């Protein structure tokens, strides 16, 4: 991984995308471990946002990616619920790679939308993003992670869960409670899609 990656904690959606792009500077493949190093693995929100962005991007169409993202999201969220400070992920997840070309194509699709979204988020209704609110969001994210493997049978359907995960993470990053409410609505949509995918 490139030594030029900034150690400064990204605080916006666009900054997360930029940090992930830097992780792809060297080599033909990008590992999950490189992405974690880029966004900072000590903080719940950036790691969760990274996972959500992968799920909502064209990368979610790669077979197996939604399941890997789901494992990562569930593992991280459960650690938040149990109060663990340093996030841990299994090696088989951190060693998983995506080709650099596919990775950068996925990020390119997110770059303009990320800058638009950043214009609308700001600290508000902050009680949703602290203590009980944060734990409620972590619990919802675990449920979202459970919807992703079944949704993998429908191309790009897991992107709805990815959008909700991204919204939860971004609301925590920006202390934006309004965005948290949007994320809860998206969670209901993802659950509905899973039900339809499984039971038609």
């Amino acid at each position: 991984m490139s030594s030029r990656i900034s150690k400064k904690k990204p605080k916006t959606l666009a900054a997360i995308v930029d940090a992930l792009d830097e992780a792809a500077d060297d080599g033909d493949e990008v590992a999950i471990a490189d992405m974690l190093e880029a966004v900072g693995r000590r903080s719940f929100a950036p790691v969760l946002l990274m996972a959500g962005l992968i799920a909502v991007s064209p990368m979610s169409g790669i077979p197996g990616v939604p399941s890997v993202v789901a494992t990562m999201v569930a593992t991280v969220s459960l650690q938040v619920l149990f109060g663990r400070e340093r996030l841990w992920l299994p090696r088989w997840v951190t060693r998983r790679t995506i080709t650099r070309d596919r990775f950068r194509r996925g990020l390119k699709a997110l770059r303009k939308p990320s800058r638009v979204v950043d214009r609308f988020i700001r600290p508000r209704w902050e009680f949703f993003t602290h203590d009980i609110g944060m734990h409620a969001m972590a619990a919802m994210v675990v449920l979202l992670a459970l919807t992703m493997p079944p949704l993998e049978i429908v191309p790009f359907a897991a992107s709805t869960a990815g959008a909700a995960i991204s919204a939860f993470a971004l609301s925590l990053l920006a202390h934006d409670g309004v965005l948290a409410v949007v994320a809860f609505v998206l969670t209901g949509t993802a659950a509905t899609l899973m039900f339809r995918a499984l039971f038609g």
Side-chain angles (χ1 to χ4, degrees):
M1 185 178 60
S2 174
S3 60
R4 294 174 300 194
I5 289 177
S6 172
K7 299 300 180 182
K8 187 177 180 180
K9 177 183 171 182
K11 295 183 178 180
T12 65
L13 182 55
I16 293 282
V17 173
D18 289 341
L20 290 172
D21 188 56
E22 289 183 34
D25 278 350
D26 294 330
D28 294 326
E29 296 185 328
V30 186
I32 297 292
D34 295 335
M35 302 178 208
L36 290 171
E37 184 67 23
V39 302
R41 66 187 303 159
R42 287 183 177 273
S43 182
F44 169 54
V47 172
L48 191 61
L49 183 53
M50 178 197 83
L53 290 177
I54 293 172
V56 82
S57 77
M59 288 180 274
S60 68
I62 302 172
V65 167
S67 293
V68 172
V69 170
T71 301
M72 182 164 53
V73 165
T75 302
V76 169
S77 299
L78 286 170
Q79 289 174 74
V80 171
L81 288 173
F82 286 102
R84 185 180 174 92
E85 292 185 4
R86 182 174 174 83
L87 302 178
W88 171 88
L89 286 169
R91 287 181 114 184
W92 73 267
V93 170
T94 59
R95 287 180 173 177
R96 187 66 185 259
T97 62
I98 299 173
T99 63
R100 183 174 63 175
D101 288 344
R102 275 187 166 181
F103 185 65
R104 282 202 153 140
R105 281 200 300 270
L107 292 180
K108 184 178 180 181
L110 296 171
R111 195 168 296 281
K112 287 185 179 179
S114 71
R115 284 168 168 73
V116 173
V117 170
D118 281 341
R119 295 175 190 168
F120 294 96
I121 58 172
R122 61 184 183 275
R124 51 191 168 177
W125 296 11
E126 294 185 43
F127 55 88
F128 273 111
T129 63
H130 296 287
D131 301 324
I132 294 175
M134 184 182 75
H135 283 82
M137 283 192 274
M140 286 297 100
V141 168
V142 172
L143 294 177
L144 282 165
L146 295 177
T147 72
M148 294 180 76
L151 289 176
E152 192 168 348
I153 63 175
V154 182
F156 299 103
S159 293
T160 303
I165 291 167
S166 298
F168 277 127
L170 198 54
S171 71
L172 290 171
L173 203 64
H175 301 293
D176 191 337
V178 172
L179 191 55
V181 173
V182 171
F184 279 107
V185 173
L186 287 171
T187 300
T189 303
T192 301
L193 283 173
M194 183 189 71
F195 184 84
R196 289 180 177 176
L198 292 177
F199 304 107

